[in-house]
Amino acid sequence: MKKSFLFTLAICLATPTWAETPEESSELESEGSGFVTSALNNAIESAWAAAPQNSTSASSSLQYGRKVTGFASAPKFGGYYIGKYEYSDRDAAKGGSGFSQRLIRAYVDGTILNDFKYRIQVQINNDKFHMKDVFIEWQRYDFARIKVGQFKRAFGFENPMNPWDILSGDYSYFTKKMTADYKGDTWGGGGRDQGIQVQGDFLKIGQDNHYLIHYQAGVWNGEGINKSDADGKKDYIGTIQFQPVKGLFIGAFGWTGEAGGEKRDKYAFGFKYDDKAGWSVRGEWGHNHYSSGNDDVWYIVGGVPVNDWFKVNAQYQTYRPGKSWTTAQCTYSIIPEFQIHKNLKLQLQYNWNDFRATYDKHFNQLCAELYFRF
């Protein structure tokens, strides 16, 4: 685990009626207003509604044009902080990273012309400032929404999830290895790239009338976050997901592309289930084929609520460079979390690690993370 300080200012103009898709619903749910931002939102909404240029009646006809001033939602702000303490008895870790600010985020969301959602998210890593997300998405039809800009790749269930909802104190080996930037396999961009994507939901079933099928298909530069295309090659990524019962998603993911002369093909399968009572389970397996060899990686994580404020999560994950057990990295985790308030959460985590290719193969980690919305 690396010591990090992240400050993220996310400006995301999102529609209040934005359809919940599997890759974004948890993120939107968690990115609610906190103590300060809720007061700010109330003030903005009141001022917005009183402004004559923003008032539109239900009978108004929607027309496009440069003189259109109405048909935009009031922007909504939010933000949260995750602070961390980490101890490790690994020889090379020198006691672990100690205290750190894992991340601080702030954001705003809204829509224009009822059909267009856009988002801008920026981040500071210590002294480094960079763009995180910037995109616009046309959302007129549930079965075909078109997104253009920089955003997370359509690969895996966990990658697009909010840090509040992944059940553990960090993203899994699967997410970091399978959705990483091409060059160097670093995950600093959080699985993001620049491109265009079509996604949608269709075929409603059941008494609750939920969508059975969700899909995503897109073309990305293949260079990673904040990089233009350097070689004319593209990444082609897609997913098909099924929701046989409300809350249960089963998906397959595919990725093919080339960057820097390196050809890669990836595929993965996974599932996830969450219910309103707080029960959660998610698992993913992925295979990575590239010029010099093959990797595979998988994890399973689940959470059981004890009561309204206490939940116990557990995770097992393995990454195998070269698909060999002699180089495998395996981690077993137990993660109790305390939801003290909807805007305040404490999460503890114990990891037992089995890194078979290193001289200090077995080591322990203890982590504590404090989450709060502001």
Side-chain angles (χ1 to χ4, degrees):
M1 296 185 180
K2 295 184 178 179
K3 195 175 181 178
S4 62
F5 174 82
L6 306 172
F7 176 79
T8 307
L9 174 64
I11 305 174
C12 27
L13 287 157
T15 172
T17 57
W18 190 12
E20 285 194 355
T21 59
E23 81 287 354
E24 288 162 337
S25 60
S26 60
E27 180 177 347
L28 292 174
E29 181 180 352
S30 287
E31 292 187 352
S33 299
F35 305 103
V36 177
T37 51
S38 60
L40 177 62
N41 290 336
N42 290 336
I44 292 175
E45 188 171 356
S46 298
W48 192 270
Q53 68 270 22
N54 292 318
S55 61
T56 57
S57 65
S59 60
S60 299
S61 59
L62 181 61
Q63 297 179 349
Y64 294 169
R66 64 176 58 90
K67 295 183 179 180
V68 175
T69 57
F71 299 100
S73 68
K76 292 184 180 295
F77 289 84
Y80 63 93
Y81 160 87
I82 304 178
K84 181 178 180 180
Y85 176 82
E86 187 244 330
Y87 166 79
S88 173
D89 65 0
R90 190 178 189 182
D91 292 345
K94 299 180 179 179
S97 59
F99 293 100
S100 63
Q101 291 84 27
R102 181 181 165 196
L103 60 83
I104 304 172
R105 286 185 178 177
Y107 45 86
V108 57
D109 62 292
T111 55
I112 55 175
L113 292 174
N114 299 331
D115 295 335
F116 296 90
K117 170 223 165 71
Y118 59 91
R119 169 173 294 183
I120 302 172
Q121 181 173 250
V122 297
Q123 181 165 304
I124 296 175
N125 290 49
N126 295 321
D127 60 342
K128 296 179 180 178
F129 175 91
H130 67 276
M131 182 67 67
K132 208 71 172 175
D133 295 295
V134 52
F135 64 80
I136 186 166
E137 185 173 38
W138 181 58
Q139 300 181 333
R140 170 68 67 88
Y141 304 107
D142 286 350
F143 63 84
R145 298 185 293 276
I146 302 173
K147 181 186 291 187
V148 180
Q150 178 169 282
F151 47 93
K152 289 200 173 185
R153 301 175 174 113
F155 199 93
F157 283 119
E158 186 182 73
N159 181 42
M161 292 180 69
N162 189 279
W164 278 68
D165 299 320
I166 61 173
L167 300 180
S168 60
D170 199 1
Y171 288 87
S172 66
Y173 297 149
F174 172 93
T175 299
K176 292 182 176 181
K177 299 299 181 181
M178 296 299 293
T179 67
D181 297 344
Y182 252 119
K183 298 176 180 178
D185 268 348
T186 62
W187 198 68
R192 291 171 170 87
D193 202 351
Q194 299 186 62
I196 183 170
Q197 173 184 275
V198 179
Q199 65 175 332
D201 303 89
F202 57 93
L203 194 57
K204 291 185 176 181
I205 63 170
Q207 294 183 346
D208 53 15
N209 209 30
H210 69 271
Y211 283 114
L212 173 63
I213 299 174
H214 173 75
Y215 75 92
Q216 295 169 266
V219 182
W220 283 263
N221 280 339
E223 300 291 336
I225 191 169
N226 296 326
K227 297 175 183 177
S228 58
D229 197 349
D231 56 9
K233 308 292 184 180
K234 302 296 182 185
D235 280 356
Y236 302 89
I237 306 173
T239 174
I240 183 74
Q241 301 171 20
F242 299 92
Q243 187 182 192
V245 297
K246 182 70 173 180
L248 171 63
F249 292 93
I250 302 169
F253 308 87
W255 177 338
T256 185
E258 182 177 342
E262 182 180 55
K263 184 73 170 65
R264 289 197 178 182
D265 297 298
K266 307 182 184 185
Y267 57 88
F269 303 94
F271 72 93
K272 72 169 185 174
Y273 175 75
D274 298 280
D275 68 9
K276 293 182 179 179
W279 292 80
S280 307
V281 63
R282 187 176 68 255
E284 299 189 81
W285 173 90
H287 171 85
N288 187 3
H289 173 74
Y290 49 97
S291 302
S292 57
N294 300 282
D295 296 338
D296 59 5
V297 58
W298 61 88
Y299 75 93
I300 186 167
V301 61
V304 177
V306 179
N307 51 40
D308 286 344
W309 55 269
F310 181 44
K311 183 175 180 178
V312 179
N313 308 319
Q315 179 175 262
Y316 163 71
Q317 55 180 328
T318 290
Y319 168 57
R320 297 196 308 164
K323 298 186 70 174
S324 171
W325 282 107
T326 60
T327 59
Q329 299 177 11
C330 305
T331 299
Y332 305 78
S333 306
I334 184 73
I335 312 144
E337 66 176 41
F338 305 86
Q339 188 75 48
I340 303 168
H341 182 273
K342 68 176 183 177
N343 293 323
L344 181 62
K345 181 172 75 172
L346 173 65
Q347 189 176 73
L348 307 177
Q349 181 163 337
Y350 166 73
N351 298 330
W352 185 80
N353 298 279
D354 179 13
F355 283 19
R356 302 183 182 184
T358 62
Y359 73 93
D360 49 353
K361 295 181 179 181
H362 302 146
F363 59 95
N364 302 283
Q365 288 174 299
L366 292 173
C367 304
E369 294 194 318
L370 181 67
Y371 302 67
F372 73 84
R373 297 186 181 97
F374 53 84

